[in-house]
Amino acid sequence: MTRLLVVGDALLDVDIEGSADRLSPDAPVPVITAEEHRPRPGGAGLAAVLAARDGADVTLVTALGDDEDGRRLRALLADEGVAVHDLGRDGDTVSKTRILAGGRPVARLDRGTPGVPHDLADSAAVGDHDAVLVADYGLGVSAAEGVRAFLSARLAAGVPVVWDPHPKGSEPVAGITLVTPNLKEARASAGDGPEGEKAVPAACRAGEELAGRWEAAHVCVTIGEGGAVLTAPGAAPLVVGPPRVATGDPCGAGDRFASRLALAVGDGKAPEDAVRAAVAAAAAFVDAGGARAAGGLPVQPAAPSGPAASVTRESAALELVERVRARGGTVVATGGCFDLLHAGHVESLQAARELGDALVVCLNSDDSVRRLKGPERPIIREEDRAAVLGALACVDAVAVFAEDTPVALLERLRPDLFVKGGDYRPEELPETPVLARWGGRVVTVPLKAGRSTTSILQEVRRVA
């Protein structure tokens, strides 16, 4: 079990979920009918909880106020198995309340005067750890003299330290293992580049400059949907793109990225591999709904796989369908095993995409393929099949289903068209009466002659 020390500013986050279906009679503002009130750890507290849910042994060094919000936050952290070393502070515990309507934020209320945190007096009480994550939220913990001396000592002892900075926080201590600013923070620290500078070149330039200024071994600049850029003195920048399924609430994505990165480094992974794991985890986290999903704190595996990936992909597909439908677009779906993707598949998928504004591929799970094709299939596992399909320009989303037919999944997606390749008669297909319930249609597109997975496998066996 990896032992992770998180150092930083813990907040109390609250999500008030509701619905808005009218404007106030006394002002042109929406009236939110509150339906749920969910408190959860935020800031360094969120990073600590996410790491604990990944199976790590987590201690959090933070500074809480002696108030009701501080006590509630401590209890929430204890419920998640996070040990808290509270430095204490003269001011209040900071809380941030988001008001959401239909799952989207409409306002945020911040409360609390944090004052000055007390310093770390006894570093021995913190214990030994495999890695340290500094989750700086600009409230003073990382600026305390004793805390900084402790972090420098950990670095000198060979313990990797990952620093997630904040615009109002302090600069990392010298010699840090890895600093993870986002692109906006990196640009603010390194200065603006040439006019019209694109995201990746800007991340490369800023990362290289900051690595030198901070005497950091590595700087990883995150660029949201673009993934991350890892820079190191004397090395070419490494660009790590994200899975294309990240379409949910980004709240907490930075903490998910930093916590997974710190755990990977603590497990002995090279920085390049740690960044890849962190990018995948952050994308899955966003796609699953961010910090507000699954009771506030979803758990994501290091890389999407199996049923968890199916849920993640389906939620992305559902959100895509809602967006397309909201603007009056046409949603197209198709389905299949796509075990060995060939030219016939690609041609059919391109033809399907041309029929509407978005294409969702309903993909048979591994168990479903085995039932349909036999025990030796599939050749390619479902997460890899989904990744290859998702990389096609004509495919907007992939959702995995475990049944023999995509009927149940289609009932959730409710597409306007379901496309089959070949000479099927729509009245013979189980999907036809399902789509008819909401006015959808099943249509067919031609198949490319002489192209099939079976024929490819037969040829491989012949020449093997």
Side-chain angles (χ1 to χ4, degrees), residues 136-171:
D136 188 356
Y137 271 76
L139 300 180
V141 169
S142 66
E145 184 177 341
V147 170
R148 296 180 72 81
F150 167 76
L151 294 171
S152 295
R154 292 289 82 200
L155 284 166
V159 177
V161 179
V162 174
W163 193 296
D164 188 12
H166 189 277
K168 295 181 180 179
S170 57
E171 289 203 344

Side-chain angles (χ1 to χ4, degrees), residues 19-33 101 106-107:
S19 57
D21 54 13
R22 62 191 177 94
L23 293 177
S24 171
D26 53 0
V29 295
V31 176
I32 311 299
T33 302
V106 296

Side-chain angles (χ1 to χ4, degrees), residues 329-390:
T330 298
V331 177
V332 182
T334 190
C337 300
F338 299 98
D339 195 3
L340 292 177
L341 195 66
H342 53 71
H345 288 141
V346 174
E347 189 171 282
S348 294
L349 291 169
Q350 290 172 332
R353 179 61 175 82
E354 292 173 358
L355 300 177
D357 300 288
L359 174 62
V360 179
V361 176
C362 304
L363 181 67
N364 293 75
S365 70
D366 288 348
D367 288 340
S368 176
V369 175
R370 275 189 283 270
R371 290 194 301 271
L372 295 173
K373 304 290 186 179
E376 294 183 353
R377 301 280 296 276
I379 305 299
I380 309 298
R381 59 183 184 173
E382 67 189 59
E383 55 265 36
D384 290 346
R385 290 183 283 127
V388 171
L389 285 165

Side-chain angles (χ1 to χ4, degrees), residues 260-300:
R260 181 56 61 78
L261 183 67
L263 285 180
V265 170
D267 286 338
K269 285 184 167 53
E272 296 82 359
D273 294 331
V275 170
R276 290 187 182 96
V279 167
F285 179 82
V286 171
D287 186 61
R292 57 182 281 270
L297 297 166
V299 186
Q300 299 298 337

Side-chain angles (χ1 to χ4, degrees), residues 159-444:
V159 177
V161 179
V162 174
W163 193 296
D164 188 12
H166 189 277
K168 295 181 180 179
S170 57
E171 289 203 344
V173 299
I176 206 78
T177 309
L178 214 162
V179 190
T180 65
N182 62 37
L183 182 56
K184 183 179 179 180
E185 293 164 346
R187 275 177 158 158
S189 297
D192 292 332
E195 185 176 352
E197 186 179 31
K198 301 295 185 182
V200 170
C204 295
R205 174 189 57 80
E208 289 169 345
E209 181 175 332
L210 294 174
R213 181 193 304 175
W214 292 334
E215 300 177 35
H218 298 83
V219 172
C220 182
V221 180
T222 58
I223 48 179
E225 294 179 354
V229 176
L230 179 67
T231 59
L238 173 69
V239 181
V240 179
R244 64 189 299 273
V245 296
T247 57
D249 187 346
C251 179
D255 295 300
R256 171 69 286 185
F257 180 89
S259 61
R260 181 56 61 78
L261 183 67
L263 285 180
V265 170
D267 286 338
K269 285 184 167 53
E272 296 82 359
D273 294 331
V275 170
R276 290 187 182 96
V279 167
F285 179 82
V286 171
D287 186 61
R292 57 182 281 270
L297 297 166
V299 186
Q300 299 298 337
S305 61
S310 301
V311 172
T312 295
R313 291 184 179 278
E314 182 176 328
S315 64
L318 288 168
E319 183 166 331
L320 169 72
V321 168
E322 290 177 5
R323 292 200 308 270
V324 173
R325 189 167 288 130
R327 62 175 185 260
T330 298
V331 177
V332 182
T334 190
C337 300
F338 299 98
D339 195 3
L340 292 177
L341 195 66
H342 53 71
H345 288 141
V346 174
E347 189 171 282
S348 294
L349 291 169
Q350 290 172 332
R353 179 61 175 82
E354 292 173 358
L355 300 177
D357 300 288
L359 174 62
V360 179
V361 176
C362 304
L363 181 67
N364 293 75
S365 70
D366 288 348
D367 288 340
S368 176
V369 175
R370 275 189 283 270
R371 290 194 301 271
L372 295 173
K373 304 290 186 179
E376 294 183 353
R377 301 280 296 276
I379 305 299
I380 309 298
R381 59 183 184 173
E382 67 189 59
E383 55 265 36
D384 290 346
R385 290 183 283 127
V388 171
L389 285 165
L392 297 177
C394 58
V395 175
D396 298 282
V398 179
V400 180
F401 64 93
E403 301 80 12
D404 292 344
T405 74
V407 164
L409 176 57
L410 292 173
E411 288 177 335
R412 296 189 291 274
L413 295 172
R414 298 174 69 87
D416 301 291
L417 298 173
F418 182 73
V419 179
K420 293 289 289 185
D423 55 359
Y424 293 97
R425 298 181 62 181
E427 61 269 23
E428 298 173 349
L429 297 171
E431 295 87 357
T432 299
V434 176
L435 268 80
R437 291 207 296 270
W438 56 82
R441 296 287 301 273
V442 174
V443 299
T444 61

